[in-house]
Amino acid sequence: MVTGSDQLSSSEKKRLRDRRGQKKLREKRESRIQALERQVATCKQHHGVDRTGNLISVVNQLYRENEALRARHARLRAALMEDDPANHIPINLGNIEPPRLSSLDQVPISLAPNQLPTESDHSDQTQSLATTATQAEPNLSNTADASQDAGDQLPPESAWYLVPMSTTQANQIAFPGTCPWFEYPDLVSACPTTASPLDLLHGTRRNFLADEIHGSLRHRAIRDAECLAFGWLLYHFSKWLVMPDPTTFARLSPFQRPIKPQFQVDHPRAIDMVVWPQMRANLLNNWTSYDFVDLMAYMSCCTKLRWPWGKPILERDSDDELQMRGDYFETFTKESAWGLTSEFIERYPELLQGMDVEAVRFRLSLPNEV
């Protein structure tokens, strides 16, 4: 019996084989495309940009908090050994070299492994040290004496590497989204040592930190005189927090330098940027009792610089470039030049305890008044 294929000519058989081969290739290609599409969908679902970014952010937050806790433990240990000679453990603090920070929340003070006592050397002191450390650990509910240390600033030679205690957890609870540039310490480190006044006033694509600060301040109802002054102070404070060294610390105005309670109480970073040291101390006592977002927004609008209305804040240099006026710079770098409106004082009188209220009170004057 002769089949149909046997009746085909050789050319027809070849075309038939080609069609079958092409069909198999199409099926194989379609199967491969479907497998790749499923793989891409899985990757987008489990490894998308948003999810990866969130995971990286969580890892960075945990890393910073871990480093902050380690540094906190080291400071407490050193303080305990200094205050209680009976429990003295020989730690050579003079050889500690504060490392450079790669993130905001690290507090650059640590002990080298060979400086830590061994368990065999001090096994009889372990329980006593643990008990004392637990009693001395500062917390948010036991800070009633914080205001007593408001004026107690450390000398610059020992304070430049002590970064205020502000963990990610405190910032997320009290003030989510504040100062987002601190999530990018590498970009902040790469920014110029100082910022152009025009960049702080109007934003820029060339200076990441100045542009972020500009965007943050322009959400507030403040005039250019306060905007530039706030921006300048915040720029240099941020550079020091990310890159603490004697040079960046020296650029801080005296009232910006942290007081001791800022090293002892975990708090939102925004408190470190309050102008008045005594008010920072008062806030550290009970910041959790406020609607913190509302408090800081209200304070930013009610904080005023004693600079005449209409008086220029910029002038041209010899190269015809705009720069800050010298008398304007000297004004906003002094604590006495800053004031609070009566509305804020009446709404939050407890935050001004220990301060000369009338000296702080800002009285609005007409543009033609000196």
Side-chain angles (χ1 to χ4, degrees):
M1 183 175 180
V2 180
T3 62
S5 64
D6 293 338
Q7 295 177 349
L8 297 176
S9 64
S10 59
S11 60
E12 291 174 337
K13 291 180 179 178
K14 183 176 184 302
R15 286 195 296 271
L16 180 60
R17 288 195 300 270
D18 291 343
R19 285 196 295 271
R20 290 174 179 171
Q22 291 174 1
K23 182 180 179 181
K24 290 181 179 179
L25 286 175
R26 286 195 300 270
E27 292 175 350
K28 184 177 181 180
R29 182 168 58 250
E30 291 176 358
S31 177
R32 178 60 176 168
I33 290 174
Q34 291 175 0
L36 290 174
E37 288 177 346
R38 289 193 297 270
Q39 184 176 357
V40 169
T42 301
C43 290
K44 287 183 177 180
Q45 179 181 358
H46 300 287
H47 307 287
V49 175
D50 294 338
R51 183 173 176 83
T52 301
N54 291 336
L55 291 175
I56 292 176
S57 178
V58 170
V59 170
N60 288 337
Q61 291 170 4
L62 293 174
Y63 174 79
R64 288 193 296 268
E65 290 186 10
N66 187 46
E67 291 300 312
L69 289 172
R70 288 184 179 182
R72 186 178 188 178
H73 173 74
R75 290 199 308 274
L76 286 172
R77 190 187 188 96
L80 289 171
M81 296 306 101
E82 180 179 355
D83 295 340
D84 191 356
N87 288 331
H88 178 68
I89 299 176
I91 302 176
N92 187 6
L93 296 176
N95 294 333
I96 297 177
E97 181 178 356
R100 296 183 64 84
L101 295 185
S102 57
S103 63
L104 168 67
D105 292 322
Q106 291 174 264
V107 184
I109 179 170
S110 59
L111 299 177
N114 59 359
Q115 294 173 328
L116 294 176
T118 63
E119 183 176 356
S120 59
D121 293 336
H122 307 288
S123 58
D124 56 332
Q125 299 174 347
T126 302
Q127 184 62 37
S128 174
L129 179 60
T131 302
T132 309
T134 302
Q135 297 172 347
E137 180 74 2
N139 56 69
L140 295 176
S141 61
N142 187 23
T143 55
D145 296 330
S147 61
Q148 297 179 5
D149 296 327
D152 195 1
Q153 294 179 330
L154 300 178
E157 60 271 13
S158 62
W160 64 263
Y161 59 84
L162 294 176
V163 177
M165 182 183 299
S166 180
T167 66
T168 303
Q169 182 179 5
N171 282 282
Q172 287 181 338
I173 293 174
F175 208 177
T178 183
C179 304
W181 54 88
F182 287 131
E183 294 296 323
Y184 308 95
D186 293 339
L187 295 179
V188 174
S189 300
C191 291
T193 301
T194 190
S196 163
L198 293 180
D199 291 347
L200 293 170
L201 282 172
H202 306 294
T204 176
R205 296 179 180 178
R206 299 174 298 178
N207 187 325
F208 168 78
L209 179 57
D211 191 62
E212 288 287 315
I213 292 175
H214 158 76
S216 177
L217 292 177
R218 283 309 182 184
H219 285 92
R220 308 299 184 187
I222 55 179
R223 59 178 180 154
D224 283 355
E226 283 87 16
C227 182
L228 179 55
F230 274 137
W232 186 270
L233 296 173
L234 186 53
Y235 187 95
H236 290 92
F237 193 79
S238 301
K239 290 288 287 184
W240 169 67
L241 285 175
V242 175
M243 300 187 301
D245 60 43
T247 303
T248 56
F249 186 79
R251 294 192 182 96
L252 301 182
S253 296
F255 60 82
Q256 288 185 282
R257 296 173 182 174
I259 56 178
K260 285 185 178 180
Q262 291 174 253
F263 306 129
Q264 301 167 338
V265 180
D266 190 14
H267 58 274
R269 182 60 69 196
I271 293 180
D272 298 326
M273 301 168 190
V274 174
V275 171
W276 300 273
Q278 181 62 58
M279 184 175 292
R280 295 201 295 267
N282 295 338
L283 270 170
L284 289 170
N285 282 330
N286 57 356
W287 64 266
T288 54
S289 63
Y290 295 97
D291 181 339
F292 199 76
V293 176
D294 180 68
L295 168 64
M296 298 310 297
Y298 199 67
M299 183 186 298
S300 67
C301 298
C302 294
T303 302
K304 302 296 182 181
L305 180 67
R306 305 183 199 279
W307 183 255
W309 286 91
K311 186 175 182 179
I313 58 177
L314 300 177
E315 62 183 4
R316 295 192 177 274
D317 59 16
S318 57
D319 296 325
D320 203 32
E321 297 290 338
L322 286 173
Q323 63 177 7
M324 278 192 296
R325 291 172 56 103
D327 53 349
Y328 170 71
F329 178 82
E330 293 178 0
T331 298
F332 74 74
T333 52
K334 296 178 181 178
E335 181 183 346
S336 58
W338 292 93
L340 283 167
T341 62
S342 297
E343 290 81 1
F344 184 90
I345 295 174
E346 293 170 2
R347 184 172 177 177
Y348 300 103
E350 70 280 4
L351 294 182
L352 282 83
Q353 291 183 2
M355 301 171 61
D356 186 342
V357 176
E358 294 308 314
V360 174
R361 190 186 301 273
F362 179 85
R363 293 175 173 81
L364 187 64
S365 58
L366 297 175
N368 58 352
E369 294 180 355
V370 179

